Amino acid sequence: MYFGKSKYIEKKECGMIFTVVNQKGGVGKTTTAVHGAAGLARRGYKTLLVDLDAQGNTADTLGIEAGNDLYPWLIGNKKVSAIGVEARENLMVIRSDKETAKIKTILAGEPFREMILINHLHKYQLDYEVVVLDCPPSVDVLHTAALMAADRVIIPTKLEQLSSKGVSEMMRAMATLRQQPTCRCELAGIIPTFYDKVTSESHIQLLNLTKAFNGKVWPVIPQDTQVREASRAGQTLFEFAPRSRAGEAYDQVVDRMEVIFRDGKKRR
Amino acid sequence: MAKNDDNLIDFGLDPAVEAVIHGHERNQEMRSMPLAERRKLKREQAKADKRKPRRFAVDMDEDLIEWAKETGEKYSCPASQIIQLAVQLMKDDVSSGTVNLHDYRVPANGPRYENRIFRKPVGENSS
């Protein structure tokens, strides 16, 4: 597998790209992507959040109207400023819905299709300091494209028996992609989600994760009904319940993202 | 900050994760304790929780931290009370107009804050 080298990549630099990914569904990818992006935007960083999942839950979580900006952006080559939605101050969102499936069909016949995101981001998004990509829970062209575009990868994982297996699979996929000269993705952190302090299962799985990945395990997101309630209200936890357990944990996640972003900026 | 082999930041075991693990282990331990001991531990925990809202971590110059500690020792009181007194005095000065924070404001380098408060050498504050 060789995806070739894009003519755009070496020429221009956009902001740091965080890809939130896990092949498993229901692990908290969208919640993590939304809170990571919204948290950085609240701290003053100009942030772009791209929803690559056909379920389109990003719009619901942020309380904005559903729609599809991904199609006109990737296929129609429209500018983000023309099609994206400014969901909050400093936070621009490219929404997705079931029409995203069409993109995959169109891209199926295109050469260098896995480079589509990195090409678009580096071509048009120079004014965003941070880009957060919310991946679908399947291994498809957009999933691979998101990993190819990533500077740093964040893997949310549910604290269940098979969770570390899913993380290991992601690590293997990343190792394969990193053999490509254009792929520069590094693991930023693994976020254990749905931590249930009552059961010992969550604790055992957390210990297993820390044994395997040590410092790469980021703050634990506890199971918290406020997450669902905030989503229902179309607000982030930072707006709905900033002092909730999950709200505080996501704030710590944003701290880690900010440190990585600032460090990456210095090294450029 | 420590870096790993790839020259990336190495956080070590994240303190937030460590706290969760230790919290769970402490709860497990408590379950096997006699009732009286468990009650005592719970009381201590409640005291610590009560202090939580009054706790606030700030970055300060090392020499100021040392000074606060030494002064606390000298007057046999906690360093936090020395710092609290300093902040109270400054609050009064700012309220009365004796200290104007605008004089100490300089543009920040990072994107998070627009300005930082910086004590310029004596004589430059009035400009």
Side-chain angles (χ1 to χ4, degrees):
Chain A
M1 188 165 61
Y2 179 67
F3 301 140
K5 200 159 182 164
S6 161
K7 59 182 175 180
Y8 300 114
I9 293 167
E10 303 299 336
K11 286 186 183 171
K12 294 173 180 177
E13 282 287 348
C14 80
M16 180 167 276
I17 304 169
F18 288 97
T19 295
V20 181
V21 67
N22 192 330
Q23 294 164 10
K24 283 183 71 145
V27 294
K29 282 188 294 293
T30 300
T31 310
T32 302
V34 166
H35 285 87
L40 288 168
R42 281 169 76 86
R43 294 180 185 195
Y45 299 101
K46 219 174 163 209
T47 308
L48 174 68
L49 172 62
V50 184
D51 185 5
L52 299 170
D53 189 350
Q55 293 176 85
N57 291 339
T58 298
D60 303 332
T61 311
L62 284 165
I64 54 175
E65 208 182 317
N68 195 315
D69 313 314
L70 194 63
Y71 189 92
W73 183 52
L74 290 182
I75 307 297
N77 287 326
K78 294 270 194 303
K79 282 190 172 179
V80 171
S81 52
I83 48 137
V85 177
E86 192 162 5
R88 303 286 188 278
E89 197 185 348
N90 293 323
L91 178 63
M92 189 64 108
V93 179
I94 295 185
R95 299 165 300 170
S96 182
D97 66 6
K98 53 184 187 295
E99 262 193 59
T100 298
K102 275 191 207 165
I103 300 174
K104 294 174 198 171
T105 317
I106 292 167
L107 288 178
E110 292 292 318
F112 305 133
R113 53 191 172 272
E114 284 81 5
M115 306 304 295
I116 190 160
L117 275 172
I118 196 165
N119 283 350
H120 272 69
L121 287 168
H122 285 264
K123 204 168 151 190
Y124 301 115
Q125 268 56 68
L126 298 169
D127 48 349
Y128 290 97
E129 291 176 285
V130 183
V131 179
V132 179
L133 304 176
D134 178 21
C135 281
S138 54
V139 185
D140 56 25
V141 62
L142 289 176
H143 176 274
T144 313
L147 283 174
M148 288 299 288
D151 291 308
R152 296 288 184 275
V153 175
I154 296 172
I155 309 177
T157 178
K158 215 169 176 174
L159 287 168
E160 286 178 348
Q161 205 188 345
L162 297 174
S163 62
S164 17
K165 200 181 159 195
V167 175
S168 303
E169 273 170 26
M170 275 310 312
M171 300 294 288
R172 266 197 294 278
M174 275 170 62
T176 310
L177 285 174
R178 280 182 63 177
Q179 289 169 10
Q180 305 299 320
T182 48
C183 185
R184 53 187 180 184
C185 66
E186 298 277 356
L187 177 67
I190 298 162
I191 304 179
T193 55
F194 297 95
Y195 178 78
D196 181 0
K197 66 175 181 182
V198 181
T199 62
S200 54
E201 177 64 17
S202 273
H203 187 67
I204 292 165
Q205 294 307 328
L206 179 62
L207 287 179
N208 286 344
L209 263 187
T210 50
K211 259 181 222 159
F213 302 104
N214 191 27
K216 289 292 182 187
V217 182
W218 275 9
V220 180
I221 311 295
Q223 210 158 35
D224 192 342
T225 49
Q226 300 279 5
V227 179
R228 243 177 301 158
E229 282 173 28
S231 177
R232 201 182 307 132
Q235 290 178 6
T236 63
L237 283 166
F238 307 131
E239 297 153 337
F240 187 80
R243 305 301 294 172
S244 62
R245 286 175 297 137
E248 285 186 345
Y250 270 120
D251 199 42
Q252 290 178 331
V253 166
V254 177
D255 285 343
R256 309 302 185 267
M257 289 173 78
E258 191 181 8
V259 168
I260 287 178
F261 167 72
R262 293 175 90 121
D263 184 62
K265 210 173 159 188
K266 260 188 256 161
R267 293 201 292 152
R268 273 181 190 172
Chain B
M1 197 165 270
K3 303 273 176 117
N4 63 16
D5 299 340
D6 302 326
N7 198 29
L8 296 171
I9 296 167
D10 189 357
F11 291 109
L13 183 57
D14 196 295
V17 179
E18 216 172 355
V20 170
I21 291 172
H22 287 162
H24 185 89
E25 281 164 2
R26 197 182 55 222
N27 287 347
Q28 293 285 89
E29 264 174 41
M30 268 175 75
R31 274 182 210 146
S32 58
M33 278 177 186
L35 194 62
E37 224 171 297
R38 217 185 304 171
R39 277 189 184 147
K40 193 182 157 198
L41 263 179
K42 269 192 178 168
R43 270 200 305 273
E44 278 169 14
Q45 186 64 41
K47 252 189 208 172
D49 286 347
K50 214 174 162 188
R51 282 177 65 193
K52 243 185 193 174
R54 296 180 56 223
R55 302 200 115 184
F56 180 55
V58 290
D59 291 331
M60 255 170 60
D61 289 346
E62 280 173 40
D63 54 334
L64 288 179
I65 296 172
E66 270 312 303
W67 178 84
K69 280 182 185 169
E70 280 167 16
T71 313
E73 268 173 37
K74 194 174 158 187
Y75 291 93
S76 308
C77 68
S80 61
Q81 287 175 6
I82 299 291
I83 291 165
Q84 177 151 330
L85 176 65
V87 175
Q88 276 169 347
L89 291 173
M90 185 178 166
K91 189 183 162 199
D92 293 345
D93 283 348
V94 171
S95 307
S96 65
T98 317
V99 170
N100 186 356
L101 286 176
H102 285 281
D103 294 341
Y104 298 90
R105 223 167 43 156
V106 288
N109 299 325
R112 190 171 173 188
Y113 296 104
E114 215 174 291
N115 297 303
R116 64 197 176 105
I117 296 294
F118 178 69
R119 191 183 170 203
K120 294 171 218 169
V122 182
E124 284 182 33
N125 286 339
S126 52
S127 61

mmCIF file of all heavy atoms in Angstrom, chain A residues 3 74 103-119 141-142 144-146 148:
data_model
loop_
_atom_site.group_PDB
_atom_site.id
_atom_site.type_symbol
_atom_site.label_atom_id
_atom_site.label_comp_id
_atom_site.label_asym_id
_atom_site.label_seq_id
_atom_site.Cartn_x
_atom_site.Cartn_y
_atom_site.Cartn_z
ATOM 1 N N PHE A 3 0.474 5.465 -0.806
ATOM 2 C CA PHE A 3 -0.506 6.483 -1.179
ATOM 3 C C PHE A 3 0.098 7.641 -1.985
ATOM 4 O O PHE A 3 -0.589 8.556 -2.363
ATOM 5 C CB PHE A 3 -1.176 7.058 0.071
ATOM 6 C CG PHE A 3 -1.876 6.032 0.880
ATOM 7 C CD1 PHE A 3 -1.822 6.054 2.259
ATOM 8 C CD2 PHE A 3 -2.596 5.023 0.269
ATOM 9 C CE1 PHE A 3 -2.481 5.103 3.008
ATOM 10 C CE2 PHE A 3 -3.253 4.056 1.007
ATOM 11 C CZ PHE A 3 -3.190 4.096 2.380
ATOM 12 N N LEU A 74 -15.162 18.488 0.725
ATOM 13 C CA LEU A 74 -14.225 17.524 0.148
ATOM 14 C C LEU A 74 -14.428 17.314 -1.351
ATOM 15 O O LEU A 74 -13.465 17.206 -2.106
ATOM 16 C CB LEU A 74 -14.345 16.171 0.866
ATOM 17 C CG LEU A 74 -13.845 16.101 2.307
ATOM 18 C CD1 LEU A 74 -13.991 14.698 2.854
ATOM 19 C CD2 LEU A 74 -12.394 16.547 2.424
ATOM 20 N N ILE A 103 -19.696 10.265 -0.247
ATOM 21 C CA ILE A 103 -18.294 10.672 -0.413
ATOM 22 C C ILE A 103 -17.424 9.432 -0.580
ATOM 23 O O ILE A 103 -16.549 9.384 -1.449
ATOM 24 C CB ILE A 103 -17.816 11.494 0.809
ATOM 25 C CG1 ILE A 103 -18.654 12.750 0.963
ATOM 26 C CG2 ILE A 103 -16.337 11.840 0.695
ATOM 27 C CD1 ILE A 103 -18.356 13.553 2.214
ATOM 28 N N LYS A 104 -17.716 8.428 0.256
ATOM 29 C CA LYS A 104 -16.918 7.202 0.207
ATOM 30 C C LYS A 104 -17.049 6.535 -1.154
ATOM 31 O O LYS A 104 -16.081 6.035 -1.709
ATOM 32 C CB LYS A 104 -17.362 6.245 1.317
ATOM 33 C CG LYS A 104 -17.074 6.788 2.704
ATOM 34 C CD LYS A 104 -17.649 5.879 3.759
ATOM 35 C CE LYS A 104 -17.762 6.623 5.081
ATOM 36 N NZ LYS A 104 -18.503 5.878 6.082
ATOM 37 N N THR A 105 -18.256 6.550 -1.719
ATOM 38 C CA THR A 105 -18.484 5.937 -3.030
ATOM 39 C C THR A 105 -17.708 6.703 -4.106
ATOM 40 O O THR A 105 -17.057 6.102 -4.957
ATOM 41 C CB THR A 105 -19.995 5.955 -3.376
ATOM 42 O OG1 THR A 105 -20.714 5.574 -2.214
ATOM 43 C CG2 THR A 105 -20.326 5.030 -4.521
ATOM 44 N N ILE A 106 -17.783 8.024 -4.034
ATOM 45 C CA ILE A 106 -17.086 8.835 -5.045
ATOM 46 C C ILE A 106 -15.575 8.631 -4.942
ATOM 47 O O ILE A 106 -14.887 8.458 -5.945
ATOM 48 C CB ILE A 106 -17.451 10.329 -4.898
ATOM 49 C CG1 ILE A 106 -18.917 10.531 -5.274
ATOM 50 C CG2 ILE A 106 -16.561 11.220 -5.748
ATOM 51 C CD1 ILE A 106 -19.482 11.879 -4.871
ATOM 52 N N LEU A 107 -15.101 8.621 -3.680
ATOM 53 C CA LEU A 107 -13.653 8.513 -3.474
ATOM 54 C C LEU A 107 -13.114 7.135 -3.852
ATOM 55 O O LEU A 107 -11.916 6.997 -4.140
ATOM 56 C CB LEU A 107 -13.297 8.809 -2.017
ATOM 57 C CG LEU A 107 -13.414 10.263 -1.569
ATOM 58 C CD1 LEU A 107 -13.065 10.380 -0.098
ATOM 59 C CD2 LEU A 107 -12.490 11.156 -2.387
ATOM 60 N N ALA A 108 -14.005 6.122 -3.872
ATOM 61 C CA ALA A 108 -13.553 4.754 -4.121
ATOM 62 C C ALA A 108 -12.762 4.650 -5.424
ATOM 63 O O ALA A 108 -11.830 3.848 -5.532
ATOM 64 C CB ALA A 108 -14.744 3.820 -4.130
ATOM 65 N N GLY A 109 -13.129 5.467 -6.417
ATOM 66 C CA GLY A 109 -12.445 5.375 -7.704
ATOM 67 C C GLY A 109 -11.322 6.378 -7.874
ATOM 68 O O GLY A 109 -10.729 6.465 -8.947
ATOM 69 N N GLU A 110 -11.043 7.164 -6.844
ATOM 70 C CA GLU A 110 -10.045 8.244 -6.987
ATOM 71 C C GLU A 110 -8.640 7.776 -6.580
ATOM 72 O O GLU A 110 -8.494 7.047 -5.606
ATOM 73 C CB GLU A 110 -10.426 9.418 -6.085
ATOM 74 C CG GLU A 110 -11.686 10.138 -6.501
ATOM 75 C CD GLU A 110 -11.543 10.884 -7.818
ATOM 76 O OE1 GLU A 110 -10.505 11.527 -8.034
ATOM 77 O OE2 GLU A 110 -12.484 10.810 -8.627
ATOM 78 N N PRO A 111 -7.631 8.208 -7.307
ATOM 79 C CA PRO A 111 -6.273 7.893 -6.861
ATOM 80 C C PRO A 111 -5.913 8.776 -5.657
ATOM 81 O O PRO A 111 -6.456 9.874 -5.516
ATOM 82 C CB PRO A 111 -5.406 8.250 -8.073
ATOM 83 C CG PRO A 111 -6.206 9.249 -8.832
ATOM 84 C CD PRO A 111 -7.650 8.975 -8.555
ATOM 85 N N PHE A 112 -5.039 8.339 -4.819
ATOM 86 C CA PHE A 112 -4.576 9.067 -3.619
ATOM 87 C C PHE A 112 -5.738 9.515 -2.735
ATOM 88 O O PHE A 112 -5.720 10.602 -2.157
ATOM 89 C CB PHE A 112 -3.745 10.305 -4.006
ATOM 90 C CG PHE A 112 -2.594 9.999 -4.906
ATOM 91 C CD1 PHE A 112 -2.347 10.771 -6.033
ATOM 92 C CD2 PHE A 112 -1.746 8.938 -4.632
ATOM 93 C CE1 PHE A 112 -1.281 10.488 -6.869
ATOM 94 C CE2 PHE A 112 -0.683 8.659 -5.462
ATOM 95 C CZ PHE A 112 -0.445 9.430 -6.587
ATOM 96 N N ARG A 113 -6.810 8.702 -2.685
ATOM 97 C CA ARG A 113 -7.997 9.112 -1.926
ATOM 98 C C ARG A 113 -7.707 9.269 -0.435
ATOM 99 O O ARG A 113 -8.336 10.059 0.243
ATOM 100 C CB ARG A 113 -9.152 8.130 -2.148
ATOM 101 C CG ARG A 113 -8.797 6.681 -1.872
ATOM 102 C CD ARG A 113 -9.882 5.731 -2.348
ATOM 103 N NE ARG A 113 -9.451 4.337 -2.254
ATOM 104 C CZ ARG A 113 -8.805 3.695 -3.220
ATOM 105 N NH1 ARG A 113 -8.521 4.315 -4.346
ATOM 106 N NH2 ARG A 113 -8.448 2.436 -3.068
ATOM 107 N N GLU A 114 -6.728 8.499 0.057
ATOM 108 C CA GLU A 114 -6.418 8.588 1.495
ATOM 109 C C GLU A 114 -5.750 9.920 1.847
ATOM 110 O O GLU A 114 -5.591 10.241 3.016
ATOM 111 C CB GLU A 114 -5.517 7.424 1.926
ATOM 112 C CG GLU A 114 -6.251 6.101 2.075
ATOM 113 C CD GLU A 114 -6.461 5.380 0.758
ATOM 114 O OE1 GLU A 114 -5.942 5.890 -0.277
ATOM 115 O OE2 GLU A 114 -7.134 4.344 0.731
ATOM 116 N N MET A 115 -5.363 10.667 0.828
ATOM 117 C CA MET A 115 -4.705 11.949 1.074
ATOM 118 C C MET A 115 -5.688 13.118 1.051
ATOM 119 O O MET A 115 -5.290 14.262 1.227
ATOM 120 C CB MET A 115 -3.626 12.212 0.016
ATOM 121 C CG MET A 115 -2.596 11.111 -0.136
ATOM 122 S SD MET A 115 -1.786 10.719 1.394
ATOM 123 C CE MET A 115 -0.938 12.233 1.699
ATOM 124 N N ILE A 116 -6.958 12.813 0.824
ATOM 125 C CA ILE A 116 -7.915 13.907 0.585
ATOM 126 C C ILE A 116 -8.009 14.889 1.765
ATOM 127 O O ILE A 116 -8.046 16.108 1.557
ATOM 128 C CB ILE A 116 -9.306 13.357 0.191
ATOM 129 C CG1 ILE A 116 -10.178 14.531 -0.274
ATOM 130 C CG2 ILE A 116 -9.975 12.579 1.323
ATOM 131 C CD1 ILE A 116 -11.349 14.146 -1.106
ATOM 132 N N LEU A 117 -8.000 14.374 2.979
ATOM 133 C CA LEU A 117 -8.142 15.283 4.132
ATOM 134 C C LEU A 117 -6.908 16.146 4.315
ATOM 135 O O LEU A 117 -7.000 17.361 4.512
ATOM 136 C CB LEU A 117 -8.412 14.476 5.400
ATOM 137 C CG LEU A 117 -9.867 14.112 5.643
ATOM 138 C CD1 LEU A 117 -9.964 13.149 6.806
ATOM 139 C CD2 LEU A 117 -10.679 15.361 5.933
ATOM 140 N N ILE A 118 -5.754 15.522 4.248
ATOM 141 C CA ILE A 118 -4.520 16.290 4.474
ATOM 142 C C ILE A 118 -4.358 17.347 3.371
ATOM 143 O O ILE A 118 -3.962 18.478 3.635
ATOM 144 C CB ILE A 118 -3.282 15.374 4.618
ATOM 145 C CG1 ILE A 118 -2.130 16.162 5.230
ATOM 146 C CG2 ILE A 118 -2.849 14.723 3.323
ATOM 147 C CD1 ILE A 118 -1.003 15.319 5.743
ATOM 148 N N ASN A 119 -4.726 16.976 2.155
ATOM 149 C CA ASN A 119 -4.647 17.953 1.062
ATOM 150 C C ASN A 119 -5.577 19.130 1.313
ATOM 151 O O ASN A 119 -5.173 20.289 1.186
ATOM 152 C CB ASN A 119 -5.027 17.301 -0.276
ATOM 153 C CG ASN A 119 -3.906 16.450 -0.819
ATOM 154 O OD1 ASN A 119 -2.788 16.494 -0.301
ATOM 155 N ND2 ASN A 119 -4.184 15.669 -1.836
ATOM 156 N N VAL A 141 -12.322 4.674 4.020
ATOM 157 C CA VAL A 141 -11.382 5.620 3.415
ATOM 158 C C VAL A 141 -11.222 6.891 4.274
ATOM 159 O O VAL A 141 -10.112 7.427 4.404
ATOM 160 C CB VAL A 141 -11.782 5.941 1.949
ATOM 161 C CG1 VAL A 141 -13.148 6.599 1.877
ATOM 162 C CG2 VAL A 141 -10.758 6.819 1.269
ATOM 163 N N LEU A 142 -12.307 7.353 4.894
ATOM 164 C CA LEU A 142 -12.216 8.578 5.700
ATOM 165 C C LEU A 142 -11.435 8.337 6.990
ATOM 166 O O LEU A 142 -10.710 9.213 7.473
ATOM 167 C CB LEU A 142 -13.612 9.124 6.015
ATOM 168 C CG LEU A 142 -14.364 9.727 4.829
ATOM 169 C CD1 LEU A 142 -15.764 10.151 5.244
ATOM 170 C CD2 LEU A 142 -13.605 10.921 4.234
ATOM 171 N N THR A 144 -8.966 6.138 7.330
ATOM 172 C CA THR A 144 -7.551 6.093 6.950
ATOM 173 C C THR A 144 -7.050 7.499 6.608
ATOM 174 O O THR A 144 -5.947 7.885 6.992
ATOM 175 C CB THR A 144 -7.354 5.155 5.734
ATOM 176 O OG1 THR A 144 -8.065 3.951 5.985
ATOM 177 C CG2 THR A 144 -5.891 4.827 5.506
ATOM 178 N N ALA A 145 -7.893 8.260 5.906
ATOM 179 C CA ALA A 145 -7.511 9.628 5.544
ATOM 180 C C ALA A 145 -7.278 10.485 6.791
ATOM 181 O O ALA A 145 -6.366 11.319 6.831
ATOM 182 C CB ALA A 145 -8.586 10.256 4.663
ATOM 183 N N ALA A 146 -8.105 10.246 7.817
ATOM 184 C CA ALA A 146 -7.958 11.020 9.058
ATOM 185 C C ALA A 146 -6.648 10.671 9.763
ATOM 186 O O ALA A 146 -5.990 11.544 10.338
ATOM 187 C CB ALA A 146 -9.141 10.748 9.983
ATOM 188 N N MET A 148 -3.964 9.554 8.203
ATOM 189 C CA MET A 148 -2.881 10.090 7.342
ATOM 190 C C MET A 148 -2.682 11.586 7.602
ATOM 191 O O MET A 148 -1.576 12.099 7.496
ATOM 192 C CB MET A 148 -3.218 9.886 5.862
ATOM 193 C CG MET A 148 -3.134 8.452 5.392
ATOM 194 S SD MET A 148 -1.485 7.742 5.557
ATOM 195 C CE MET A 148 -0.591 8.579 4.271
#
